[in-house]
Amino acid sequence: MAKALRVMEVVASDPRGVTARSIAEELGLALPTTYHLLSTLIDSGYVVHLASEHRYALGYGVRRLDRALHRQLAVEDDVAAAVRALHHDADAAAYYAVFREAGIVIAHIADSERRRRVQLLDVGFDESAHATAFGKVMLAGMDRDQLHCYLDQAGMADLTRSTIVEPDQLERHLSHVRESNVALEIGELQAGLSCMAAPVRSAGGEVIGSVAISLPSPEFQARRWDIERAVRTGANRVTRALRAAHRRAPGATVGT
């Protein structure tokens, strides 16, 4: 099973599809083993063979997994409404991220034809927290041991010339995030792109999520303070929506 999943990851890595030989070389597998794994994935619908190009690409069964992930990450209606309000108020694509076990993952997005999400970012995106505003907010909510454990597992990929890739530098940056209660990244995830985020907190004050927006950097700089007000307001709205949902939940204690 693990080998089959690794094959799928390699197949997904190139939009043109990949050859069986390149998969075998990438994963250090024998070619017959690679063909057997590909055959199994084709039978399951997760891979297709592009016979005319001698390549393998993702199959349509992957869409079932994508839809299932969206269902599992679905948010409360009031939370979705709050993210849509941020999208409208900031005139920017808006994102809501949560902790999922040890990961930081985007759970909801509000965008439009005018303000499209960053192509890299979609529901289920769980990478590069050190280079995203929503990720920094949530990393800043961790204690030092939790932070180092997360970074040891996730790494700090060097995405652009502006990406912070040294743990000590990131820790200093996160201390400013805690003090200001807002996170900013300019060109760290993608050159020419800026993002801002603010924390969503539990009734006890712990960071349990974040809301964020993305804009081209020149426009962000021109509207920076209006954007910050919108992001802080959006985070407060989501926080209130989650607390209201918790109070409505069966067995909830009055006053929590």
Side-chain angles (χ1 to χ4, degrees), residues 177-199:
V177 173
R178 293 186 197 98
E179 291 170 7
S180 63
N181 218 33
V182 70
L184 172 66
E185 69 92 356
I186 300 176
E188 296 175 46
L189 178 70
Q190 184 176 304
L193 176 77
S194 290
C195 299
M196 179 174 276

mmCIF file with all atom_site columns, all heavy atoms in Angstrom, residues 177-199:
data_model
loop_
_atom_site.group_PDB
_atom_site.id
_atom_site.type_symbol
_atom_site.label_atom_id
_atom_site.label_alt_id
_atom_site.label_comp_id
_atom_site.label_asym_id
_atom_site.label_entity_id
_atom_site.label_seq_id
_atom_site.pdbx_PDB_ins_code
_atom_site.Cartn_x
_atom_site.Cartn_y
_atom_site.Cartn_z
_atom_site.occupancy
_atom_site.B_iso_or_equiv
_atom_site.pdbx_formal_charge
_atom_site.auth_seq_id
_atom_site.auth_comp_id
_atom_site.auth_asym_id
_atom_site.auth_atom_id
_atom_site.pdbx_PDB_model_num
ATOM 1   N N   . VAL A 1 177 ? 4.659  37.900 15.514 1.00 0.00 ? 177 VAL A N   1
ATOM 2   C CA  . VAL A 1 177 ? 3.284  37.492 15.198 1.00 0.00 ? 177 VAL A CA  1
ATOM 3   C C   . VAL A 1 177 ? 2.462  37.413 16.480 1.00 0.00 ? 177 VAL A C   1
ATOM 4   O O   . VAL A 1 177 ? 1.321  37.881 16.538 1.00 0.00 ? 177 VAL A O   1
ATOM 5   C CB  . VAL A 1 177 ? 3.277  36.138 14.458 1.00 0.00 ? 177 VAL A CB  1
ATOM 6   C CG1 . VAL A 1 177 ? 1.851  35.621 14.283 1.00 0.00 ? 177 VAL A CG1 1
ATOM 7   C CG2 . VAL A 1 177 ? 3.962  36.269 13.099 1.00 0.00 ? 177 VAL A CG2 1
ATOM 8   N N   . ARG A 1 178 ? 3.038  36.831 17.540 1.00 0.00 ? 178 ARG A N   1
ATOM 9   C CA  . ARG A 1 178 ? 2.318  36.722 18.808 1.00 0.00 ? 178 ARG A CA  1
ATOM 10  C C   . ARG A 1 178 ? 2.002  38.102 19.379 1.00 0.00 ? 178 ARG A C   1
ATOM 11  O O   . ARG A 1 178 ? 0.909  38.344 19.889 1.00 0.00 ? 178 ARG A O   1
ATOM 12  C CB  . ARG A 1 178 ? 3.145  35.929 19.819 1.00 0.00 ? 178 ARG A CB  1
ATOM 13  C CG  . ARG A 1 178 ? 3.334  34.471 19.474 1.00 0.00 ? 178 ARG A CG  1
ATOM 14  C CD  . ARG A 1 178 ? 4.026  33.707 20.586 1.00 0.00 ? 178 ARG A CD  1
ATOM 15  N NE  . ARG A 1 178 ? 4.542  32.441 20.077 1.00 0.00 ? 178 ARG A NE  1
ATOM 16  C CZ  . ARG A 1 178 ? 5.797  32.251 19.696 1.00 0.00 ? 178 ARG A CZ  1
ATOM 17  N NH1 . ARG A 1 178 ? 6.686  33.236 19.795 1.00 0.00 ? 178 ARG A NH1 1
ATOM 18  N NH2 . ARG A 1 178 ? 6.183  31.083 19.219 1.00 0.00 ? 178 ARG A NH2 1
ATOM 19  N N   . GLU A 1 179 ? 2.969  39.000 19.294 1.00 0.00 ? 179 GLU A N   1
ATOM 20  C CA  . GLU A 1 179 ? 2.788  40.336 19.863 1.00 0.00 ? 179 GLU A CA  1
ATOM 21  C C   . GLU A 1 179 ? 1.736  41.137 19.105 1.00 0.00 ? 179 GLU A C   1
ATOM 22  O O   . GLU A 1 179 ? 0.910  41.831 19.701 1.00 0.00 ? 179 GLU A O   1
ATOM 23  C CB  . GLU A 1 179 ? 4.121  41.090 19.846 1.00 0.00 ? 179 GLU A CB  1
ATOM 24  C CG  . GLU A 1 179 ? 5.161  40.528 20.810 1.00 0.00 ? 179 GLU A CG  1
ATOM 25  C CD  . GLU A 1 179 ? 6.525  41.156 20.590 1.00 0.00 ? 179 GLU A CD  1
ATOM 26  O OE1 . GLU A 1 179 ? 6.623  42.108 19.781 1.00 0.00 ? 179 GLU A OE1 1
ATOM 27  O OE2 . GLU A 1 179 ? 7.490  40.700 21.233 1.00 0.00 ? 179 GLU A OE2 1
ATOM 28  N N   . SER A 1 180 ? 1.756  41.035 17.787 1.00 0.00 ? 180 SER A N   1
ATOM 29  C CA  . SER A 1 180 ? 0.858  41.849 16.964 1.00 0.00 ? 180 SER A CA  1
ATOM 30  C C   . SER A 1 180 ? -0.490 41.181 16.713 1.00 0.00 ? 180 SER A C   1
ATOM 31  O O   . SER A 1 180 ? -1.443 41.825 16.284 1.00 0.00 ? 180 SER A O   1
ATOM 32  C CB  . SER A 1 180 ? 1.519  42.162 15.621 1.00 0.00 ? 180 SER A CB  1
ATOM 33  O OG  . SER A 1 180 ? 1.751  40.968 14.893 1.00 0.00 ? 180 SER A OG  1
ATOM 34  N N   . ASN A 1 181 ? -0.560 39.861 16.974 1.00 0.00 ? 181 ASN A N   1
ATOM 35  C CA  . ASN A 1 181 ? -1.794 39.103 16.749 1.00 0.00 ? 181 ASN A CA  1
ATOM 36  C C   . ASN A 1 181 ? -2.188 39.088 15.273 1.00 0.00 ? 181 ASN A C   1
ATOM 37  O O   . ASN A 1 181 ? -3.361 38.949 14.931 1.00 0.00 ? 181 ASN A O   1
ATOM 38  C CB  . ASN A 1 181 ? -2.946 39.659 17.581 1.00 0.00 ? 181 ASN A CB  1
ATOM 39  C CG  . ASN A 1 181 ? -3.838 38.561 18.132 1.00 0.00 ? 181 ASN A CG  1
ATOM 40  O OD1 . ASN A 1 181 ? -3.381 37.462 18.453 1.00 0.00 ? 181 ASN A OD1 1
ATOM 41  N ND2 . ASN A 1 181 ? -5.121 38.842 18.236 1.00 0.00 ? 181 ASN A ND2 1
ATOM 42  N N   . VAL A 1 182 ? -1.210 39.204 14.409 1.00 0.00 ? 182 VAL A N   1
ATOM 43  C CA  . VAL A 1 182 ? -1.445 39.147 12.969 1.00 0.00 ? 182 VAL A CA  1
ATOM 44  C C   . VAL A 1 182 ? -0.153 38.678 12.312 1.00 0.00 ? 182 VAL A C   1
ATOM 45  O O   . VAL A 1 182 ? 0.943  38.926 12.822 1.00 0.00 ? 182 VAL A O   1
ATOM 46  C CB  . VAL A 1 182 ? -1.885 40.521 12.412 1.00 0.00 ? 182 VAL A CB  1
ATOM 47  C CG1 . VAL A 1 182 ? -0.749 41.528 12.434 1.00 0.00 ? 182 VAL A CG1 1
ATOM 48  C CG2 . VAL A 1 182 ? -2.480 40.386 11.030 1.00 0.00 ? 182 VAL A CG2 1
ATOM 49  N N   . ALA A 1 183 ? -0.269 37.960 11.203 1.00 0.00 ? 183 ALA A N   1
ATOM 50  C CA  . ALA A 1 183 ? 0.906  37.472 10.475 1.00 0.00 ? 183 ALA A CA  1
ATOM 51  C C   . ALA A 1 183 ? 0.887  37.996 9.049  1.00 0.00 ? 183 ALA A C   1
ATOM 52  O O   . ALA A 1 183 ? -0.176 38.124 8.435  1.00 0.00 ? 183 ALA A O   1
ATOM 53  C CB  . ALA A 1 183 ? 0.945  35.943 10.464 1.00 0.00 ? 183 ALA A CB  1
ATOM 54  N N   . LEU A 1 184 ? 2.057  38.271 8.540  1.00 0.00 ? 184 LEU A N   1
ATOM 55  C CA  . LEU A 1 184 ? 2.214  38.809 7.189  1.00 0.00 ? 184 LEU A CA  1
ATOM 56  C C   . LEU A 1 184 ? 3.311  38.041 6.474  1.00 0.00 ? 184 LEU A C   1
ATOM 57  O O   . LEU A 1 184 ? 4.333  37.700 7.072  1.00 0.00 ? 184 LEU A O   1
ATOM 58  C CB  . LEU A 1 184 ? 2.580  40.298 7.272  1.00 0.00 ? 184 LEU A CB  1
ATOM 59  C CG  . LEU A 1 184 ? 2.980  41.003 5.981  1.00 0.00 ? 184 LEU A CG  1
ATOM 60  C CD1 . LEU A 1 184 ? 1.798  41.065 5.019  1.00 0.00 ? 184 LEU A CD1 1
ATOM 61  C CD2 . LEU A 1 184 ? 3.486  42.414 6.293  1.00 0.00 ? 184 LEU A CD2 1
ATOM 62  N N   . GLU A 1 185 ? 3.082  37.741 5.222  1.00 0.00 ? 185 GLU A N   1
ATOM 63  C CA  . GLU A 1 185 ? 4.168  37.212 4.382  1.00 0.00 ? 185 GLU A CA  1
ATOM 64  C C   . GLU A 1 185 ? 4.113  37.915 3.035  1.00 0.00 ? 185 GLU A C   1
ATOM 65  O O   . GLU A 1 185 ? 3.041  38.093 2.458  1.00 0.00 ? 185 GLU A O   1
ATOM 66  C CB  . GLU A 1 185 ? 4.107  35.685 4.252  1.00 0.00 ? 185 GLU A CB  1
ATOM 67  C CG  . GLU A 1 185 ? 2.961  35.121 3.460  1.00 0.00 ? 185 GLU A CG  1
ATOM 68  C CD  . GLU A 1 185 ? 3.283  34.921 1.975  1.00 0.00 ? 185 GLU A CD  1
ATOM 69  O OE1 . GLU A 1 185 ? 4.379  35.287 1.529  1.00 0.00 ? 185 GLU A OE1 1
ATOM 70  O OE2 . GLU A 1 185 ? 2.395  34.409 1.280  1.00 0.00 ? 185 GLU A OE2 1
ATOM 71  N N   . ILE A 1 186 ? 5.282  38.325 2.584  1.00 0.00 ? 186 ILE A N   1
ATOM 72  C CA  . ILE A 1 186 ? 5.406  39.030 1.309  1.00 0.00 ? 186 ILE A CA  1
ATOM 73  C C   . ILE A 1 186 ? 6.376  38.262 0.422  1.00 0.00 ? 186 ILE A C   1
ATOM 74  O O   . ILE A 1 186 ? 7.583  38.241 0.677  1.00 0.00 ? 186 ILE A O   1
ATOM 75  C CB  . ILE A 1 186 ? 5.902  40.479 1.512  1.00 0.00 ? 186 ILE A CB  1
ATOM 76  C CG1 . ILE A 1 186 ? 4.919  41.252 2.398  1.00 0.00 ? 186 ILE A CG1 1
ATOM 77  C CG2 . ILE A 1 186 ? 6.058  41.178 0.168  1.00 0.00 ? 186 ILE A CG2 1
ATOM 78  C CD1 . ILE A 1 186 ? 5.369  42.656 2.730  1.00 0.00 ? 186 ILE A CD1 1
ATOM 79  N N   . GLY A 1 187 ? 5.836  37.581 -0.553 1.00 0.00 ? 187 GLY A N   1
ATOM 80  C CA  . GLY A 1 187 ? 6.676  36.866 -1.512 1.00 0.00 ? 187 GLY A CA  1
ATOM 81  C C   . GLY A 1 187 ? 7.401  35.667 -0.954 1.00 0.00 ? 187 GLY A C   1
ATOM 82  O O   . GLY A 1 187 ? 8.369  35.208 -1.559 1.00 0.00 ? 187 GLY A O   1
ATOM 83  N N   . GLU A 1 188 ? 6.959  35.122 0.170  1.00 0.00 ? 188 GLU A N   1
ATOM 84  C CA  . GLU A 1 188 ? 7.641  33.964 0.753  1.00 0.00 ? 188 GLU A CA  1
ATOM 85  C C   . GLU A 1 188 ? 7.132  32.643 0.192  1.00 0.00 ? 188 GLU A C   1
ATOM 86  O O   . GLU A 1 188 ? 7.892  31.689 0.050  1.00 0.00 ? 188 GLU A O   1
ATOM 87  C CB  . GLU A 1 188 ? 7.485  33.973 2.272  1.00 0.00 ? 188 GLU A CB  1
ATOM 88  C CG  . GLU A 1 188 ? 8.141  35.173 2.945  1.00 0.00 ? 188 GLU A CG  1
ATOM 89  C CD  . GLU A 1 188 ? 7.868  35.213 4.433  1.00 0.00 ? 188 GLU A CD  1
ATOM 90  O OE1 . GLU A 1 188 ? 8.001  34.160 5.092  1.00 0.00 ? 188 GLU A OE1 1
ATOM 91  O OE2 . GLU A 1 188 ? 7.517  36.289 4.955  1.00 0.00 ? 188 GLU A OE2 1
ATOM 92  N N   . LEU A 1 189 ? 5.857  32.597 -0.113 1.00 0.00 ? 189 LEU A N   1
ATOM 93  C CA  . LEU A 1 189 ? 5.272  31.394 -0.723 1.00 0.00 ? 189 LEU A CA  1
ATOM 94  C C   . LEU A 1 189 ? 5.405  31.445 -2.234 1.00 0.00 ? 189 LEU A C   1
ATOM 95  O O   . LEU A 1 189 ? 5.729  30.446 -2.878 1.00 0.00 ? 189 LEU A O   1
ATOM 96  C CB  . LEU A 1 189 ? 3.805  31.260 -0.334 1.00 0.00 ? 189 LEU A CB  1
ATOM 97  C CG  . LEU A 1 189 ? 3.043  30.082 -0.937 1.00 0.00 ? 189 LEU A CG  1
ATOM 98  C CD1 . LEU A 1 189 ? 3.532  28.770 -0.322 1.00 0.00 ? 189 LEU A CD1 1
ATOM 99  C CD2 . LEU A 1 189 ? 1.540  30.232 -0.723 1.00 0.00 ? 189 LEU A CD2 1
ATOM 100 N N   . GLN A 1 190 ? 5.174  32.622 -2.779 1.00 0.00 ? 190 GLN A N   1
ATOM 101 C CA  . GLN A 1 190 ? 5.175  32.811 -4.226 1.00 0.00 ? 190 GLN A CA  1
ATOM 102 C C   . GLN A 1 190 ? 5.586  34.246 -4.517 1.00 0.00 ? 190 GLN A C   1
ATOM 103 O O   . GLN A 1 190 ? 5.023  35.176 -3.943 1.00 0.00 ? 190 GLN A O   1
ATOM 104 C CB  . GLN A 1 190 ? 3.782  32.513 -4.777 1.00 0.00 ? 190 GLN A CB  1
ATOM 105 C CG  . GLN A 1 190 ? 3.636  32.579 -6.269 1.00 0.00 ? 190 GLN A CG  1
ATOM 106 C CD  . GLN A 1 190 ? 2.233  32.159 -6.695 1.00 0.00 ? 190 GLN A CD  1
ATOM 107 O OE1 . GLN A 1 190 ? 1.761  31.081 -6.377 1.00 0.00 ? 190 GLN A OE1 1
ATOM 108 N NE2 . GLN A 1 190 ? 1.558  33.033 -7.407 1.00 0.00 ? 190 GLN A NE2 1
ATOM 109 N N   . ALA A 1 191 ? 6.536  34.444 -5.381 1.00 0.00 ? 191 ALA A N   1
ATOM 110 C CA  . ALA A 1 191 ? 7.001  35.791 -5.699 1.00 0.00 ? 191 ALA A CA  1
ATOM 111 C C   . ALA A 1 191 ? 5.847  36.641 -6.225 1.00 0.00 ? 191 ALA A C   1
ATOM 112 O O   . ALA A 1 191 ? 5.027  36.174 -7.007 1.00 0.00 ? 191 ALA A O   1
ATOM 113 C CB  . ALA A 1 191 ? 8.122  35.726 -6.730 1.00 0.00 ? 191 ALA A CB  1
ATOM 114 N N   . GLY A 1 192 ? 5.777  37.895 -5.741 1.00 0.00 ? 192 GLY A N   1
ATOM 115 C CA  . GLY A 1 192 ? 4.743  38.810 -6.198 1.00 0.00 ? 192 GLY A CA  1
ATOM 116 C C   . GLY A 1 192 ? 3.424  38.691 -5.466 1.00 0.00 ? 192 GLY A C   1
ATOM 117 O O   . GLY A 1 192 ? 2.477  39.412 -5.770 1.00 0.00 ? 192 GLY A O   1
ATOM 118 N N   . LEU A 1 193 ? 3.355  37.788 -4.475 1.00 0.00 ? 193 LEU A N   1
ATOM 119 C CA  . LEU A 1 193 ? 2.122  37.540 -3.736 1.00 0.00 ? 193 LEU A CA  1
ATOM 120 C C   . LEU A 1 193 ? 2.313  37.918 -2.271 1.00 0.00 ? 193 LEU A C   1
ATOM 121 O O   . LEU A 1 193 ? 3.363  37.662 -1.682 1.00 0.00 ? 193 LEU A O   1
ATOM 122 C CB  . LEU A 1 193 ? 1.751  36.065 -3.820 1.00 0.00 ? 193 LEU A CB  1
ATOM 123 C CG  . LEU A 1 193 ? 0.524  35.626 -3.019 1.00 0.00 ? 193 LEU A CG  1
ATOM 124 C CD1 . LEU A 1 193 ? -0.746 36.045 -3.727 1.00 0.00 ? 193 LEU A CD1 1
ATOM 125 C CD2 . LEU A 1 193 ? 0.543  34.113 -2.807 1.00 0.00 ? 193 LEU A CD2 1
ATOM 126 N N   . SER A 1 194 ? 1.291  38.540 -1.683 1.00 0.00 ? 194 SER A N   1
ATOM 127 C CA  . SER A 1 194 ? 1.310  38.839 -0.249 1.00 0.00 ? 194 SER A CA  1
ATOM 128 C C   . SER A 1 194 ? 0.076  38.246 0.411  1.00 0.00 ? 194 SER A C   1
ATOM 129 O O   . SER A 1 194 ? -0.999 38.198 -0.190 1.00 0.00 ? 194 SER A O   1
ATOM 130 C CB  . SER A 1 194 ? 1.341  40.348 -0.011 1.00 0.00 ? 194 SER A CB  1
ATOM 131 O OG  . SER A 1 194 ? 2.578  40.900 -0.390 1.00 0.00 ? 194 SER A OG  1
ATOM 132 N N   . CYS A 1 195 ? 0.250  37.821 1.649  1.00 0.00 ? 195 CYS A N   1
ATOM 133 C CA  . CYS A 1 195 ? -0.854 37.261 2.429  1.00 0.00 ? 195 CYS A CA  1
ATOM 134 C C   . CYS A 1 195 ? -0.808 37.821 3.840  1.00 0.00 ? 195 CYS A C   1
ATOM 135 O O   . CYS A 1 195 ? 0.264  38.143 4.358  1.00 0.00 ? 195 CYS A O   1
ATOM 136 C CB  . CYS A 1 195 ? -0.762 35.736 2.497  1.00 0.00 ? 195 CYS A CB  1
ATOM 137 S SG  . CYS A 1 195 ? -0.846 34.903 0.889  1.00 0.00 ? 195 CYS A SG  1
ATOM 138 N N   . MET A 1 196 ? -1.967 37.927 4.455  1.00 0.00 ? 196 MET A N   1
ATOM 139 C CA  . MET A 1 196 ? -2.079 38.346 5.854  1.00 0.00 ? 196 MET A CA  1
ATOM 140 C C   . MET A 1 196 ? -3.079 37.447 6.545  1.00 0.00 ? 196 MET A C   1
ATOM 141 O O   . MET A 1 196 ? -4.068 37.029 5.945  1.00 0.00 ? 196 MET A O   1
ATOM 142 C CB  . MET A 1 196 ? -2.514 39.804 5.954  1.00 0.00 ? 196 MET A CB  1
ATOM 143 C CG  . MET A 1 196 ? -2.685 40.305 7.387  1.00 0.00 ? 196 MET A CG  1
ATOM 144 S SD  . MET A 1 196 ? -3.026 42.072 7.493  1.00 0.00 ? 196 MET A SD  1
ATOM 145 C CE  . MET A 1 196 ? -1.346 42.709 7.427  1.00 0.00 ? 196 MET A CE  1
ATOM 146 N N   . ALA A 1 197 ? -2.830 37.142 7.828  1.00 0.00 ? 197 ALA A N   1
ATOM 147 C CA  . ALA A 1 197 ? -3.703 36.239 8.581  1.00 0.00 ? 197 ALA A CA  1
ATOM 148 C C   . ALA A 1 197 ? -3.805 36.690 10.024 1.00 0.00 ? 197 ALA A C   1
ATOM 149 O O   . ALA A 1 197 ? -2.928 37.380 10.552 1.00 0.00 ? 197 ALA A O   1
ATOM 150 C CB  . ALA A 1 197 ? -3.167 34.808 8.516  1.00 0.00 ? 197 ALA A CB  1
ATOM 151 N N   . ALA A 1 198 ? -4.889 36.262 10.683 1.00 0.00 ? 198 ALA A N   1
ATOM 152 C CA  . ALA A 1 198 ? -5.109 36.519 12.099 1.00 0.00 ? 198 ALA A CA  1
ATOM 153 C C   . ALA A 1 198 ? -5.646 35.246 12.738 1.00 0.00 ? 198 ALA A C   1
ATOM 154 O O   . ALA A 1 198 ? -6.256 34.411 12.064 1.00 0.00 ? 198 ALA A O   1
ATOM 155 C CB  . ALA A 1 198 ? -6.083 37.681 12.302 1.00 0.00 ? 198 ALA A CB  1
ATOM 156 N N   . PRO A 1 199 ? -5.423 35.082 14.039 1.00 0.00 ? 199 PRO A N   1
ATOM 157 C CA  . PRO A 1 199 ? -5.797 33.823 14.696 1.00 0.00 ? 199 PRO A CA  1
ATOM 158 C C   . PRO A 1 199 ? -7.266 33.697 15.041 1.00 0.00 ? 199 PRO A C   1
ATOM 159 O O   . PRO A 1 199 ? -7.943 34.681 15.364 1.00 0.00 ? 199 PRO A O   1
ATOM 160 C CB  . PRO A 1 199 ? -4.943 33.840 15.971 1.00 0.00 ? 199 PRO A CB  1
ATOM 161 C CG  . PRO A 1 199 ? -4.754 35.289 16.269 1.00 0.00 ? 199 PRO A CG  1
ATOM 162 C CD  . PRO A 1 199 ? -4.660 35.969 14.931 1.00 0.00 ? 199 PRO A CD  1
#
